Amino acid sequence: LPRFYEKVQALHQDPEASVDNPLLAFSLIKRLHLDWPNVVYSEEATENTQALQEGFQEVEEELPGAEDLAGAAQALMRLQDVYGLSVEGMAKGSFQPAASGCLPLYSPGHRAALSADDCFYVGKVAYDTGDFYHSIPWLEEAVGLFRLSHGSWNPEDGSSLEAALDHLAFAYYRAGNISHALSLSKEFLHYEPSNQRVVRNVAKYQELLELGHAAKAVPLRRPNGTQLRSRDAYEELCQRPGGQPYLERLPRLSCSYETNGSPYLLLQPAKKELVQAQPHVALYHDFISDSEAETIKGLARPWLQRSVVASGEQQQEAEYRISKSAWLKATVDPVVVSLEKRIAALTGLDLPVPALVDHLHLLALGGQSMKSPLYRMKSGNRIATVMIYLSSVQAGGSTAFIYANFSVPVVKNAALFWWNLRRSGAGDGDTLHGACPVLAGDKWVANKWIHEHGQEFRRPCGADPSD
């Protein structure tokens, strides 16, 4: 118990920082869901056993569940992929790109190293789904760390060197690397020579090698994401510092104070930064105040649920959408009413009829999400989007416009605006966008989606049909 307490205290000295750093967040969830119950119900907890277990049972329902822990592990692998991070670096608490010569993407004030048991669990989450591309490097890291500790085992740990070797050997076998699977299995038998299953595996691997199967090993390939067709372009944008490829080649970009002909903005014009001319994407700085942002977040917190995507006329959860969301009606609070008026003044569009505009949509905790192809028959397609950043992040979280080849970093209290449709009513494919995962921090955004019906005189068709 003292050892476990000291470990937790060292990792989580600042409770508020625990969720900002994804490695600390994963460690905290794992300590609460796996490690602490292992201590409470271990044979070593002989003194005050009943009191320990009763105290744990009182708070058990409030602790993170298996889905939370698996999601945290998957989130680490998602960060590993999108930002090209080194597994060895992540295990040491560093967000270091795997490519040599690159600077760390983020340097936390308090570095949180993962234990051998932590790395084993991340690898096992991938292993259980047959994803050996991700499981092998995490299990390799777990084996290496267990070896450094000479195979020692603690009551709070759910794994051991033997378990890591066993999983890693089979992962290499499934990946086609028979010789390495054999080597790891023999090392396993050094610790458990009576394990007949592994004895049979060794015989099988030796037979395969004698038949010449060693040459069939192929490089591991990352699983294809069915929902993200432009994955390479998306990830390059997420990794790109600054978001724009060649700023000196974009002379049309500008900053200005805008009233849009609205008396509402006359005394306090909007601070417009034109981010991209085609498609037209603008960032309006200081669009809301700190107090307004906190009010909106407070209103949304009780209603947050796992984000969904459109699937025909139904909505369903998707693995690639890991954020939580809520909807706020304009009548819920005067702050939301004021924000709706500001959006109408900024865009020049009408927001009076609920059927013609979605309620304010709140997204929390960042994550990766793509624009939904949702089409509503009564109100038409989305003509415009206003995305308001309610918080700042330490790293990551940019909005990547994949086909247009640029990204916009998170700017607290700013509003990002773009037209989803051309004046002709045709969709603008260049506005396809994805949210880069938050590398460090707590990301909140509020989206306002405005639909085309009722806007015919606010944004009429142009003279050019292709416009």
Side-chain angles (χ1 to χ4, degrees), residues 21-41:
N21 183 333
L23 298 174
L24 268 172
F26 169 79
S27 298
L28 178 60
I29 292 172
K30 181 172 175 289
R31 302 284 176 267
L32 293 175
H33 177 67
L34 285 183
D35 298 1
W36 178 235
N38 287 341
V39 171
V40 172
Y41 293 101

Side-chain angles (χ1 to χ4, degrees), residues 400-419:
F401 289 82
I402 298 165
Y403 294 155
N405 192 31
F406 73 97
S407 61
V408 182
V410 175
V411 180
K412 188 177 186 299
N413 294 346
L416 193 63
F417 169 79
W418 65 87
W419 297 105

Side-chain angles (χ1 to χ4, degrees), residues 74-88:
Q74 291 164 352
L76 292 184
M77 290 182 274
R78 185 175 289 108
L79 293 176
Q80 169 195 345
D81 289 340
V82 174
Y83 294 106
L85 298 176
S86 160
V87 171
E88 181 181 3

Side-chain angles (χ1 to χ4, degrees), residues 83 105-106 238 393-399 408-410 436-440 443:
Y83 294 106
L105 297 178
Y106 169 65
C238 291
V393 298
Q394 284 81 12
S398 297
T399 302
V408 182
V410 175
C436 299
V438 177
L439 191 58
K443 180 183 176 183

Side-chain angles (χ1 to χ4, degrees), residues 264-265 268-271 283-298 334-343 346 360 362 386-392 411-416 444-448:
Y264 193 86
L265 297 175
Q268 188 175 347
K271 303 173 183 178
L283 188 68
Y284 292 89
H285 294 263
D286 300 321
F287 185 72
I288 60 171
S289 66
D290 288 339
S291 61
E292 288 175 323
E294 291 304 315
T295 297
I296 293 171
K297 290 194 292 185
V335 169
V336 183
V337 174
S338 175
L339 188 60
E340 297 257 339
K341 292 180 180 179
R342 207 172 307 158
I343 292 173
L346 182 76
L360 193 65
L362 274 292
V386 178
M387 178 188 292
I388 306 167
Y389 295 114
L390 302 177
S391 65
S392 59
V411 180
K412 188 177 186 299
N413 294 346
L416 193 63
W444 286 75
V445 298
N447 292 312
K448 192 67 177 179

